[in-house]
Amino acid sequence: MSATASLAVTHLVPLAGEELDKNKVTPGVLGFIVFAVIGAAVWLLMKSMNKHMKRVDFQEAPEPAAEGADLAAATATATPSDPSAGDPKDKPAKG
């Protein structure tokens, strides 16, 4: 430590020694720096997470093989093979 720095510290120590409570613990500058670094890291992580979440496509694209099966199923229901499953207008009303 240089002479100027030690002289400056010796002038401040008696002032702090009289007002400093030995039973009181404070984090000081190092605690603030650590807290600020953790806060900045959390902010950067959340910013990165938001960017990645915007890129995610939540709608699942149908598979090409499934499209053909769905089309076949739709045409099978449109042309019923059961004669009793005809148009509802053709059925007599109950009652």
Side-chain angles (χ1 to χ4, degrees):
M1 206 190 246
S2 70
T4 309
S6 64
L7 184 62
V9 171
T10 56
H11 285 293
L12 294 176
V13 171
L15 296 175
E18 295 170 3
E19 297 176 11
L20 182 65
D21 185 11
K22 299 284 183 185
N23 297 324
K24 184 179 178 183
V25 178
T26 59
V29 176
L30 180 63
F32 174 75
I33 291 172
V34 169
F35 185 76
V37 167
I38 291 172
V42 168
W43 181 75
L44 289 171
L45 284 171
M46 289 186 66
K47 188 175 176 180
S48 173
M49 182 190 67
N50 282 334
K51 184 170 56 170
H52 286 296
M53 291 299 286
K54 286 179 184 177
R55 292 181 185 172
V56 174
D57 184 19
F58 288 106
Q59 294 180 353
E60 185 174 331
E63 296 178 9
E67 287 180 13
D70 291 341
L71 183 60
T75 55
T77 57
T79 57
S81 59
D82 185 14
S84 65
D87 195 18
K89 296 178 191 171
D90 296 339
K91 292 185 180 179
K94 294 182 181 178

